[in-house]
Amino acid sequence: MPLPKGNVSFYRYDPSKAVAVVSCVLFGLTFIWSTFMTIRKRAWVWIVQLIAILMEVIGYADRIKSAGDPTNLNLYAVQFCVIILAPVLMAGVTYVVFGRIVVHVVPAQQRTTRLLWVPPRWITPIFVACDVVALVVQLIGAIMVSSTQATDTNAAKKLNTGKNIALAGLAIQIAAFGLFTIVAARFHFTSRQFAAGLQARYEGAGSGSTTSVKGSPRKLNPNWRRLLFAINLSCVLILVRSAFRVVEFAEGNDGAVNRQEWFMYVFDTLPIFLVACSLCFIFPSSYIPHMGFRVPKESANARELASQDGSVVGLREV
């Protein structure tokens, strides 16, 4: 990370204002689109994703100013911190959506650790907890790195400490998200059996693209596996971005990644934009019900139907 002296730029390259403008506009449009869908579908849990996208907008808007004044510590620190932290929130909402998919398509008696490699009822709490820890640790590291100046006492030591803390946060995120990616990818294939079971329970066309399911008061989009595909794609893209940030911090101030701006836009901006954009095209509430903060518990009738033929949409809290 840059350690400026006097009026030396915080960047190791000449930051592009034009590319920052394009990034800000693209994330801004995605934020508007996602906000519209969130309100329209009443998908209140998606507010977390909106905050993450808004952080990207703020980050690149601030980067526009920072590109014009690269010696300003405050401008540099703000864009650095929010762009670093936004994907952590996106990872968290990905955990929630995956948990909801499992609840809505897997019969209650088949939601086992053997199926998912993680206790089903703890999928969301475990991974979200890891995400929160990673967020806090990365925030501490990012603040230390971005706010260190050459005039500070033990500036080099502070910079190195901040870098190591940020690396620890990224390591926690990659470990947790890596395991989650494996679980989600495996479920993408095993979910075919549940898709086949649900197929026989659809009861004609519902409103829009949703269909009633026998034994459930709610409706489900028969193409819900598209959402599962979007979740898996998001996992890969976020992992690519996280790996890039690990390399960036590990190489240090004089590394090749820190000397070329295009690395950040190709391996951070682009993957995260694709995550945000893909989950607008394939909006979760268009495929599964209950994207509020709570999910109704499944009824006794639903559990009975599930035990009879193993293919009911279960409703319980995740």
Side-chain angles (χ1 to χ4, degrees):
M1 293 296 98
L3 186 60
K5 296 180 180 180
N7 292 324
V8 177
S9 170
F10 277 86
Y11 301 92
R12 301 292 289 181
Y13 46 76
D14 184 18
S16 171
K17 182 179 292 187
V19 180
V21 168
V22 171
S23 300
C24 183
V25 170
L26 290 176
F27 276 109
L29 293 174
T30 305
F31 175 76
I32 294 171
W33 185 4
S34 192
T35 300
F36 170 75
M37 294 299 293
T38 299
I39 296 173
R40 180 186 177 192
K41 299 287 185 178
R42 297 184 179 182
W44 308 127
V45 76
W46 208 243
I47 290 174
V48 177
Q49 178 78 346
L50 293 181
I51 293 173
I53 299 174
L54 182 59
M55 288 173 68
E56 295 284 355
V57 175
I58 293 172
Y60 288 104
D62 186 81
R63 191 176 176 89
I64 295 170
K65 295 182 179 180
S66 183
D69 187 8
T71 63
N72 187 306
L73 172 62
N74 292 331
L75 291 176
Y76 174 80
V78 170
Q79 63 85 28
F80 181 81
C81 289
V82 294
I83 292 175
I84 282 282
L85 297 175
V88 184
L89 296 183
M90 292 187 182
V93 80
T94 299
Y95 300 142
V96 174
V97 174
F98 178 77
R100 300 289 170 92
I101 293 174
V102 170
V103 161
H104 292 308
V105 305
V106 180
Q109 77 279 8
Q110 292 182 254
R111 296 178 209 145
T112 63
T113 303
R114 181 179 180 181
L115 173 68
L116 298 168
W117 293 359
V118 178
R121 67 179 298 178
W122 294 102
I123 287 178
T124 302
I126 288 175
F127 287 114
V128 168
C130 291
D131 209 48
V132 170
V133 172
L135 176 66
V136 173
V137 175
Q138 287 183 62
L139 176 60
I140 295 171
I143 290 175
M144 289 188 67
V145 168
S146 61
S147 62
T148 300
Q149 300 188 71
T151 55
D152 293 343
T153 304
N154 298 321
K157 183 179 180 181
K158 289 181 180 179
L159 187 64
N160 191 56
T161 301
K163 182 188 73 173
N164 290 335
I165 292 174
L167 276 171
L170 285 166
I172 294 170
Q173 182 184 355
I174 288 179
F177 205 70
L179 174 59
F180 173 76
T181 300
I182 294 172
V183 170
R186 180 173 178 272
F187 183 74
H188 183 78
F189 295 100
T190 59
S191 65
R192 291 173 180 172
Q193 60 180 300
F194 306 115
L198 282 167
Q199 191 67 39
R201 305 187 66 87
Y202 295 136
E203 297 182 327
S207 60
S209 57
T210 58
T211 301
S212 298
V213 181
K214 183 179 179 182
S216 171
R218 304 297 174 178
K219 296 178 180 180
L220 186 71
N221 190 316
N223 298 313
W224 57 267
R225 293 189 79 247
R226 292 179 184 173
L227 177 59
L228 190 57
F229 176 81
I231 292 299
N232 278 278
L233 175 62
S234 297
C235 288
V236 173
L237 292 170
I238 292 175
L239 277 177
V240 168
R241 174 265 172 195
S242 298
F244 159 71
R245 287 298 183 179
V246 168
V247 173
E248 178 189 37
F249 279 105
E251 281 192 344
N253 185 46
D254 294 323
V257 168
N258 282 297
R259 291 179 175 275
Q260 299 289 332
E261 187 177 25
W262 68 266
F263 278 109
M264 188 197 79
Y265 283 108
V266 171
F267 294 107
D268 188 312
T269 308
L270 180 60
I272 297 307
F273 173 72
L274 291 176
V275 169
C277 197
S278 65
L279 290 173
C280 284
F281 278 109
I282 305 177
F283 194 75
S285 282
S286 297
Y287 292 85
I288 57 175
H290 302 303
M291 284 300 292
F293 288 107
R294 296 181 66 85
V295 180
K297 294 181 179 179
E298 62 184 347
S299 66
N301 180 50
R303 289 194 297 270
E304 181 180 352
L305 284 168
S307 64
Q308 290 174 356
D309 54 28
S311 57
V312 69
V313 178
L315 303 176
R316 60 191 298 181
E317 185 173 349
V318 175

